Amino acid sequence: MRYVCVHGHFYQPPRENPFTGRVDPQPSAAPWPDWNHRITAECYRPNTRAPLLDEHGEIRGRINTFAHTSSDVGPTLMRWLERHAPDVHEAIVEADRQAIARLGHGSAIAQGFHHAILPLASERDRLREIAWGIRDFQGRFGRDPDAMWLPETAVDLDTLDALARAGIRWTILAPRQCAEVRSPGGGWQPFDSRRPYVVNTRQGRSIVVFFYDGPTSRGVAFDGLLHDGDHFAQVLAHASCDAGLAMVATDGESYGHHHRHGEMALAKLIEVLDHAPDVLLTNPSAYLVHHPATWEARIVEPSSWSCAHGVGRWSANCGCAMDPARSGQQAWRQTLRTAMDALRDAIGERDAASPDLERARLQMYTSCGWFFDGPDGLEAVQILTYALRAITLHRELSGEDLEPLFVERLGPLDDVWQTQVRTILGG
Ligand SMILES: [Zn+2]
């Protein structure tokens, strides 16, 4: 038997204005009021009821794709869905129950709470991001998570150790994050992504890592594999081998948002594989029951799936940019990281005195703030707004004003701070 798995990483950053608790209008998402509404209509809801068509193009059935795949839906997105699209939230939770009934193991896995880059976080923040992600999962799905998706698959050994310490059994990484592997008692050698591996931490703990299949995942994300669900099923089945597991892992938004009607290709794949005699579409927890990891892997650290320079995309002028013409113009990333870290250190453990301050302080590390090309984009301004919220709450609680320190560290980014962030407060 060959095994295959489709994993979707579903995520939207918190978009609420922290001073009003509401999402400000985002004209770029028109005709929807904001991007969360738009992507819900294009992807999240369609995947809970993805159509199967007959030869005349008529709908002959629907599939909740979440029940047949593996997925992590971020806590900030689940909280938004619960309020604004409760049918979608309920269908995702119900899908997990259906997977348990069919495979013995649920389809949902947890995610670091605020989508922070955990190798760049302080140890205290890292542990809180993991613990909050687990607690959110338990509250929604009514069970402990087996696994956690690391934001941007950003990893180092200390991050894996923190996951293991929290009771997390496995995670998913990109193939290029694997350095080498060895069989029990064997020598180090290049890896094969079709088996899970044990990674041992410096602190003596261990965790299982699945490395996804690179070519198939690229096919879904970038190379048009979702044009034809039959073909998608064949390619994925061929990527596996006897007793092996081939896993596709991409942003979940590939299925309907990045690729129009991608959810229909996924529904077709589910149907095709359901009838394939020698291929089983499963999830990693179910697979591990009869195929426990015995080989060991060493990871590349720090590393991530969307920066070829470790975790530079969120901390340095590493060369990564959306627009190639702007590559190398991202010195602001380090400036912003340094300023945030200075603010974090100045507040110290006093953020624990106020849940609102603690939340704002952690939200300011949402990874999207660093991902794009300039400090004046929607996402960077959003995390600066969280920093302003943290400064404001800290001032109210302690009387201490940390804005001068923060502005000094922002240096050239002070422009953005004054013109965009201050505008949000109307002054
Ligand atoms: Zn990079």
Side-chain angles (χ1 to χ4, degrees), residues 9 11-14 76 111-120 129 149-154 251 304-306 311-315 332-333 336-337 340 362-374 379-380 382-383 386:
H9 162 58
Y11 166 69
Q12 294 300 321
T76 52
Q111 186 188 113
F113 196 92
H114 294 105
H115 212 269
I117 301 300
L118 296 185
L120 293 171
E129 288 292 325
W149 179 268
L150 292 171
E152 299 285 356
T153 76
D251 283 341
S304 65
W305 76 346
S306 52
V311 291
R313 189 155 196 156
W314 305 273
S315 60
W332 63 273
R333 285 180 179 146
L336 183 56
R337 176 70 57 178
M340 294 290 197
L362 290 169
Q363 281 172 326
M364 74 189 197
Y365 281 112
T366 303
S367 66
C368 334
W370 282 268
F371 190 83
F372 298 96
D373 293 357
E379 294 80 6
Q382 182 76 18
I383 64 168
Y386 291 128

Side-chain angles (χ1 to χ4, degrees), residues 309-391:
H309 322 93
V311 291
R313 189 155 196 156
W314 305 273
S315 60
N317 192 7
C318 69
C320 283
M322 304 298 285
D323 176 0
R326 296 184 71 182
S327 175
Q329 299 171 21
Q330 281 76 36
W332 63 273
R333 285 180 179 146
Q334 185 176 1
T335 307
L336 183 56
R337 176 70 57 178
T338 304
M340 294 290 197
D341 287 351
L343 179 58
R344 173 197 68 200
D345 293 343
I347 293 173
E349 301 199 0
R350 289 175 289 174
D351 60 356
S354 153
D356 286 346
L357 172 56
E358 189 177 28
R359 194 177 312 117
R361 240 276 293 121
L362 290 169
Q363 281 172 326
M364 74 189 197
Y365 281 112
T366 303
S367 66
C368 334
W370 282 268
F371 190 83
F372 298 96
D373 293 357
D376 53 352
L378 204 61
E379 294 80 6
V381 169
Q382 182 76 18
I383 64 168
L384 281 168
T385 312
Y386 291 128
L388 179 60
R389 178 72 174 157
I391 288 168

Side-chain angles (χ1 to χ4, degrees), residues 61-290:
R62 290 184 182 274
I63 290 181
N64 182 344
T65 69
F66 288 97
H68 299 265
T69 55
S70 168
S71 60
D72 64 287
V73 186
T76 52
L77 174 56
M78 281 298 261
R79 187 185 54 196
W80 186 91
L81 289 170
E82 192 173 25
R83 285 179 62 184
H84 300 276
D87 59 310
V88 177
H89 183 276
E90 177 51 32
I92 292 170
V93 173
E94 172 57 25
D96 187 61
R97 292 187 209 115
Q98 290 176 15
I100 292 172
R102 201 177 65 258
L103 296 168
H105 291 269
S107 53
I109 72 171
Q111 186 188 113
F113 196 92
H114 294 105
H115 212 269
I117 301 300
L118 296 185
L120 293 171
S122 69
E123 193 191 7
R124 179 167 172 263
D125 284 1
R126 187 184 303 141
L127 295 176
R128 282 191 292 183
E129 288 292 325
I130 293 168
W132 286 29
I134 291 173
R135 199 171 59 201
D136 185 83
F137 184 96
Q138 291 165 330
R140 295 183 196 285
F141 293 95
R143 65 179 181 89
D144 292 335
D146 291 338
M148 178 173 279
W149 179 268
L150 292 171
E152 299 285 356
T153 76
V155 77
D156 61 7
L157 281 178
D158 287 342
T159 297
L160 289 183
D161 189 72
L163 289 183
R165 218 187 317 172
I168 295 296
R169 294 172 48 226
W170 56 268
T171 191
I172 300 168
L173 297 178
R176 71 161 179 235
Q177 295 178 271
C178 186
E180 53 189 358
V181 301
R182 63 181 174 189
S183 62
W188 292 106
Q189 62 184 81
F191 90 118
D192 179 332
S193 66
R194 297 172 295 186
R195 73 167 73 82
Y197 295 92
V198 174
V199 175
N200 295 308
T201 71
R202 283 182 281 265
Q203 292 85 348
R205 296 182 184 85
S206 66
I207 188 168
V208 171
V209 173
F210 290 86
F211 296 97
Y212 62 77
D213 184 80
T216 321
S217 301
R218 268 197 305 281
V220 168
F222 307 113
D223 297 335
L225 203 48
L226 297 183
H227 290 322
D228 179 347
D230 276 300
H231 180 58
F232 180 21
Q234 283 168 23
V235 169
L236 183 55
H238 282 129
S240 190
C241 61
D242 191 38
L245 175 77
M247 183 193 298
V248 166
T250 64
D251 283 341
E253 289 78 13
S254 292
Y255 303 100
H257 171 56
H258 299 314
H259 302 285
R260 190 169 153 78
H261 296 317
E263 80 285 359
M264 290 171 65
L266 184 53
K268 184 65 182 171
L269 170 139
I270 291 166
E271 185 183 52
V272 168
L273 294 180
D274 196 35
H275 294 98
D278 57 343
V279 187
L280 184 68
L281 180 63
T282 187
N283 65 49
S285 286
Y287 176 80
L288 282 173
V289 172
H290 298 293

